[in-house]
Amino acid sequence: MDLKEHWEKIYNTKQFEETSWYESRPEYSLEIIRSLGLSPEANIIDVGAGNSFLPDHLLELGYKNIHVLDISAKALRDSQARLGEKANKIIWLESDVTSFKPEVSFDLWHDCAALHFLTSDEQVENYVSVLRASLKTGAYCLLSVFSENGPDKCSGINIRKYATSDLEQLLKADFDTVRLENKDHTTPWGAKQNFSTGLFRRK
Ligand SMILES: C[S@@+](CC[C@H](N)C(=O)[O-])C[C@H]1O[C@@H](n2cnc3c(N)ncnc32)[C@H](O)[C@@H]1O
């Protein structure tokens, strides 16, 4: 299956509010990001951002170097349209994360619900090697993926589930674990989806 085609179709046919991942305020991520005490100049990347409201809130918090990456051009265009003039303050990256070539070193890598769409070992290995190459020593990585108790599919395609210990295992060669937990996300129609989340620090 062509992943880009899949995601362009999703964003061209669904309103954001009709997607299971809609959150007008991604409070969990914002709370953790605020707790890190990053400088306003920190390079922050939201990977598989879709048209999430996270960048809007990061701008409000005063961050100046926000990078938004997604495989879907339509998702990025929707985000830019919503932000209006403020979109000029963000660096937009249309790319498959597994072949992304970073031009700066990031202080924070944020991924909410993108990694779990990589279902083959090769895709996951490529993701980890891009992640490793993208972060400076001491930089943070915050990942949220469907847990072992989460859904089997999302947006009609298969996903890979992770226990928090799987996340730790995946990154342990290059990252120290700061915090692991499970949390429920409530979809706009009231269903619960269980996530594994991990905050890690680049060794
Ligand atoms: C479930 S949505 C989550 C969007 C956003 N992070 C949020 O929480 O609202 C997954 C996103 O990952 C993107 N995505 C999926 N596979 C990707 C890949 N290989 N590279 C970059 N983005 C990808 C999709 O286009 C989609 O926007």
Side-chain angles (χ1 to χ4, degrees):
M1 192 200 38
D2 185 317
L3 271 182
K4 181 169 173 62
E5 212 174 284
H6 170 80
W7 286 106
E8 296 297 8
K9 189 167 163 206
I10 292 288
Y11 285 109
N12 275 299
T13 53
K14 286 193 178 220
Q15 294 298 311
F16 189 17
E17 300 76 7
E18 294 171 344
T19 59
S20 60
W21 54 93
Y22 176 84
E23 259 187 325
S24 59
R25 189 177 167 84
E27 192 54 52
Y28 180 81
S29 294
L30 284 166
E31 193 187 311
I32 292 185
I33 293 170
R34 275 196 303 259
S35 77
L36 302 178
L38 299 172
S39 100
E41 319 297 330
N43 279 311
I44 298 178
I45 184 164
D46 190 11
V47 170
N51 53 8
S52 158
F53 285 91
L54 185 71
D56 312 40
H57 293 290
L58 292 177
L59 280 175
E60 252 173 50
L61 289 172
Y63 293 106
K64 295 187 169 61
N65 293 304
I66 303 164
H67 304 241
V68 170
L69 181 146
D70 203 274
I71 199 168
S72 162
K74 174 70 163 85
L76 298 180
R77 280 201 304 276
D78 287 351
S79 235
Q80 289 160 356
R82 184 184 67 237
L83 280 158
E85 282 204 352
K86 285 189 270 180
N88 298 327
K89 299 182 175 172
I90 289 179
I91 295 155
W92 302 94
L93 302 161
E94 182 190 333
S95 173
D96 183 326
V97 61
T98 60
S99 53
F100 173 55
K101 305 243 178 320
E103 289 184 3
V104 298
S105 284
F106 295 103
D107 299 283
L108 172 66
W109 173 287
H110 174 269
D111 174 340
C112 178
L115 166 61
H116 60 211
F117 289 103
L118 306 177
T119 49
S120 74
D121 290 348
E122 189 189 353
Q123 286 174 312
V124 175
E125 278 160 25
N126 289 341
Y127 179 100
V128 173
S129 92
V130 172
L131 169 60
R132 191 188 303 122
S134 300
L135 298 196
K136 49 183 90 159
T137 302
Y140 292 96
C141 161
L142 176 58
L143 302 179
S144 298
V145 285
F146 282 155
S147 81
E148 68 278 30
N149 299 315
D152 296 325
K153 288 191 168 212
C154 181
S155 78
I157 57 174
N158 291 332
I159 53 88
R160 181 183 275 212
K161 301 186 195 191
Y162 293 83
T164 52
S165 56
D166 298 329
L167 279 181
E168 183 165 49
Q169 184 67 26
L170 183 68
L171 298 186
K172 72 174 188 190
D174 305 290
F175 291 84
D176 293 318
T177 302
V178 180
R179 163 176 177 169
L180 294 171
E181 62 192 306
N182 287 110
K183 68 172 184 85
D184 278 334
H185 163 69
T186 307
T187 69
W189 48 92
K192 299 265 188 238
Q193 298 180 326
N194 195 251
F195 276 76
S196 289
T197 72
L199 177 66
F200 301 92
R201 200 151 194 202
R202 181 81 167 95
K203 288 182 188 171

